[in-house]
């Protein structure tokens, strides 16, 4: 067990340095953090050649190792992607700083003035897979919210991540941000992930960024709190009162705009009272989607493939959707309660009462009325860049942006008050 | 392992019923929840004889089993305590309902209107020890915030808890609150605690109410998120600029008003530049406190007992305090960073710049300037009754009251928006 002990000690040491840096970082003014991030972005641009050379090493290793073309595409950097990464860091530097904001204040009858102010969480661990841009994105968001970050990227992107990290760290340090505020786990040993997940008290929060197997492992093993979503089994319910043109536009967009994003529709629920069910699923099919229908719906559109039980619990993330008839909004609520993943669900309806029943009754992070589920995104919500979407119930729900990377403290200012 | 399986199945079944009840509860108007709690309070008053008879059984068993007098006192109910319990439930019914409150709203350029509204968390588990009043207090707070609750009280209070629960459940059900909204684990088997702690996805949040060994077990074993504090190693730092009279009043109050509460001062840090250190510790000693001094302080007040290393990390919860000299506010910050428990720390100072440095630099849930640490209490903060004090960094920090028992969801209302 010497290796496991060594890895645990490594994470503990990185965590202690991250904690010390976080103490400094928590007190830095917005302008210093923003200047640090702009310097990091400039350093990324300056290091383009080194970053691309490192990425070429990862790409060669990936091709030799038989990575899929999808994984190679996620791994690939080119000048445009390096520029985009730098621009992303600059965009974070321009966001409103949540730290120090007053959440509420109250004057007590005894004269004690209490305020609740936002403060950084402390030390955040990011565990991610093949996309090297996460190194820059996640680091920028954590630093802007005053947190230290411990980054653990995928082994397939190790050279790229190191090159990006070296550039950012130099940029940040040159602008007065503590060097230990952004650390990259130097080993690609899988045990490092385990050590991070168990580093309760060392790391305050873990955010996994990657596929379902990564998120599932993190959720199963973590002793540290986790913000994440495992699934996005998102529903669009088309009520009997829906406008047919709007229903078609939204359903096709929710499924087909990008099929691989977590906000994509996976299940279409149609009110038995909706008179245009067959046209709707035919329009979806005509957009290039394989529509699998339940029995009631196949009676109306017999050309549909049949759903099996597993379809209703499947996040396809491709051009496939399950579709079925339900008994009005209550039927939709029952279906979503059984099969949903608390991510994003939408209703298309002209009847406001029915819509409000749906918005109140669906227990998901995001509920939408007459809008596409593909809006499930921090940028679309006006929050700036997001670090992820959370479907748990505590701390932050839905898109997690800068505010989700903070906590608060109570500050009381008195004039000598003692308790009676 | 049949027993463990049975216990797991029991908790899963209770959790499923609690989830169904939570769905109903989440949609209830404030008036219905408040009426339900008033009915529960009335039922507690009406059942005074049954509750006292049950408590007499627990008390007899406790005396036979050799419970300490302190534990017997916690367990004891009398007419005044039963009345106080009912009044506590009525007080919760009178609090502002956090559910449905709009946290923020924003209109997007595409016309999508986004609001973030408070919703109940869902199913909350309360694990507690000998005080039977927690049965009523915790249930009332959970229900008012729209949550179902699964209560697991101490085996020593089993008859009392059952009698209180029977009364409350009857009162709630008579007023239209689902019966499964408040459930008491029927077994006192310790395995039930383990099953609750591992019921991830069944129970959304666990709040332990009890001594340090209970909290430590919950924190060590829980797979479900926990809100709690393990220690309250609270510091009062007396700056060189402090008003001597105020310093003395606050220090004596912070330590001695009630020594057994988690907001009590445990460590007194005195600025080396403070000219009245000896008088201050003598005043504290004169109030009945054993003061253990560090070397520098004992040079000024040689009559003090000496601290050992362990004192600085000890939550005495009795009339003992450790006291030492530090080098100004920076010395205090360093000491608190090493020995504090992120609960409540205070500075006594006339110098506002020094005070603000302390308030910003101490990483605790509650930081106070010129006020006693004994104010660390939801009621004193104007939050109404609290379910506990949390020293973790996520979701809620400091006193956890109704708002801390809620989460939020994003609600978007559109007019047919699709994402480009």
């Amino acid at each position: 067990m010497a290796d496991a002990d060594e890895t645990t000690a490594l994470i503990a040491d990185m965590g202690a340095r991250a904690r010390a840096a976080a103490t400094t970082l928590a007190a830095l003014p917005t302008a210093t953090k923003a200047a640090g991030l702009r310097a990091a972005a400039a350093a990324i641009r300056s290091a383009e050649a080194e970053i691309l050379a490192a990425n070429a090493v990862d790409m060669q290793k990936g091709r030799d190792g038989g990575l899929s073309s999808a994984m190679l595409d996620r791994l690939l950097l080119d000048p445009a992607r390096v520029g985009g990464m730098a621009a992303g860091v600059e965009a974070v530097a321009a966001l409103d700083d949540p730290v120090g904001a007053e959440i509420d204040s109250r004057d007590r009858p005894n004269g004690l003035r209490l305020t609740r102010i936002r403060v950084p969480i402390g030390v955040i661990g990011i565990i991610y897979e093949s996309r090297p841009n996460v190194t820059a994105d996640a680091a920028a968001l954590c630093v802007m919210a005053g947190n230290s970050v411990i980054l653990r990227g995928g082994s397939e992107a190790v050279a790229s991540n190191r090159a990006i990290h070296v550039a950012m760290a130099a940029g940040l340090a040159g602008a007065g941000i503590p060097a230990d505020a952004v650390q990259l786990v130097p080993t690609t040993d899988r045990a490092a992930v385990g050590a991070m997940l168990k580093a309760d008290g060392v790391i305050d929060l873990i955010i996994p960024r990657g596929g379902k197997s990564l998120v599932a492992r993190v959720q199963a093993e973590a002793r540290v709190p986790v913000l994440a979503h495992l699934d996005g089994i998102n529903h669009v319910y088309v009520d009997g009162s829906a406008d047919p043109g709007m229903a078609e536009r939204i359903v096709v967009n929710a499924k087909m705009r990008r099929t691989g994003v977590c906000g994509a529709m996976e299940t279409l629920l149609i009110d038995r009272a909706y008179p245009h069910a067959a046209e709707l699923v035919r329009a979806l099919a005509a957009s290039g989607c394989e529509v699998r229908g339940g029995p009631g719906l196949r009676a109306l559109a017999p050309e549909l493939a049949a759903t099996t039980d597993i379809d209703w619990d499947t996040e396809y993330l491709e051009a496939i959707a399950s579709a079925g008839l339900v008994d009005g909004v209550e039927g939709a609520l029952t279906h979503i309660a059984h099969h949903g993943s608390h991510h994003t669900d939408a209703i298309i309806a002209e009847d406001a009462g029915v819509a409000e029943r749906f918005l109140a009754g669906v227990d998901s992070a995001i509920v939408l009325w007459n809008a596409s589920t593909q809006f499930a995104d921090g940028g679309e919500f006006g929050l700036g860049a997001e670090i992820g979407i959370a479907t748990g119930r505590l701390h932050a729900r839905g898109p997690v942006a800068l505010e989700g990377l903070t906590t608060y403290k109570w500050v009381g200012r008195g004039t000598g008050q003692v308790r009676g």
Side-chain angles (χ1 to χ4, degrees), chain A:
Chain A
M1 299 306 290
D3 278 356
D5 286 353
E6 259 173 48
T7 312
T8 302
L10 168 73
I11 297 299
D13 174 63
M14 292 180 73
R17 289 188 286 118
R19 181 75 60 198
T23 303
T24 304
L25 207 51
L28 291 182
T30 304
T32 306
K33 293 185 286 189
L37 291 180
R38 285 192 301 268
I44 288 171
R45 287 187 215 277
S46 301
E48 184 190 295
E50 291 87 341
I51 292 170
L52 293 180
N55 186 249
V57 173
D58 287 334
M59 288 294 290
Q60 187 58 51
K61 208 176 60 181
R63 278 186 295 262
D64 294 348
L67 285 190
S68 69
S69 60
M71 285 191 75
L72 287 172
D73 180 61
R74 276 182 226 131
L75 183 57
L76 178 70
L77 293 177
D78 57 24
R81 286 185 176 185
V82 172
M85 198 155 57
V89 172
E90 284 161 348
V92 171
L95 293 174
D96 288 339
D97 186 352
V99 174
E102 200 172 290
I103 300 173
D104 57 46
S105 86
R106 50 185 81 217
D107 289 313
R108 301 298 303 148
N110 63 7
L112 187 62
R113 162 158 288 198
L114 286 167
T115 58
R116 199 152 53 113
I117 59 163
R118 287 203 189 286
V119 297
I121 289 174
V123 179
I124 297 182
I126 311 283
I127 300 174
Y128 54 110
E129 295 184 316
S130 46
R131 291 182 197 276
N133 64 303
V134 174
T135 308
D137 294 351
L141 285 163
C142 289
V143 166
M144 193 64 191
N147 300 291
S148 290
V149 61
I150 296 177
L151 301 159
R152 203 288 188 184
S155 57
E156 62 280 12
V158 61
S160 310
N161 290 338
R162 280 181 189 160
I164 296 164
H165 175 252
V166 163
M168 284 193 86
L172 289 165
I177 307 289
D180 289 329
V182 177
Q183 297 178 65
L184 181 70
V185 176
T187 168
T188 56
D189 183 354
R190 268 175 73 87
V193 173
M196 287 176 73
L197 295 177
K198 288 178 177 51
D200 201 14
V202 173
I203 297 174
D204 299 314
L205 172 67
I206 298 263
I207 300 177
R209 290 277 298 263
K212 195 179 291 193
S213 66
L214 172 69
V215 176
R217 180 188 172 190
V218 166
Q219 290 185 331
E221 292 184 26
R223 299 279 321 142
V224 175
V226 173
L227 283 183
H229 69 274
L230 186 63
D231 286 313
I233 303 178
N234 307 316
H235 300 75
V236 175
Y237 164 64
V238 177
D239 186 61
S241 70
D243 174 272
M246 185 194 293
E248 198 175 302
R249 278 195 311 280
I250 291 180
V251 165
V252 171
N253 183 267
K255 178 70 240 182
M256 297 300 288
R257 174 185 159 271
R258 284 181 63 191
T259 57
V261 297
C262 66
M265 178 188 88
E266 303 295 3
T267 302
L268 171 62
L269 301 174
I270 307 175
D271 189 352
R272 237 176 265 286
Y274 182 66
H276 312 286
E279 295 96 301
L280 179 60
V281 294
R282 283 172 186 148
L284 181 57
S287 75
C289 182
E290 176 188 336
V291 182
R292 300 182 184 170
L297 191 58
R298 290 183 69 230
L300 303 175
E303 74 276 18
L304 297 183
T307 52
T308 59
D309 282 352
I310 205 173
D311 279 298
W312 307 111
D313 299 306
T314 298
E315 185 187 26
Y316 303 106
L317 294 174
E318 51 183 314
I320 306 173
S322 41
L325 299 183
V326 293
D327 289 322
V329 66
E330 298 303 326
L333 292 178
T334 302
H335 181 101
I336 295 170
H338 279 98
H339 301 285
S341 60
H342 310 292
H343 192 298
T344 301
D345 300 287
I347 180 173
I348 319 300
E350 293 301 301
D351 183 326
V354 167
E356 293 298 334
R357 170 72 184 123
F358 182 92
L359 296 176
V362 172
D363 177 26
S364 290
I366 304 170
V367 286
L368 298 167
W369 174 21
N370 288 349
S372 170
T373 56
Q374 297 251 350
F375 286 113
D377 174 276
E380 292 294 322
F381 277 31
L383 304 175
E386 70 181 26
I387 201 155
I389 289 189
T391 54
R393 283 181 165 77
L394 296 189
H395 187 72
R397 247 183 143 197
V400 182
L402 286 183
E403 185 191 298
L405 297 176
T406 65
T407 180
Y408 61 78
K409 74 203 256 188
W410 290 92
V411 177
R413 295 178 175 88
T415 51
Q417 282 81 354
V418 296
R419 191 165 169 192

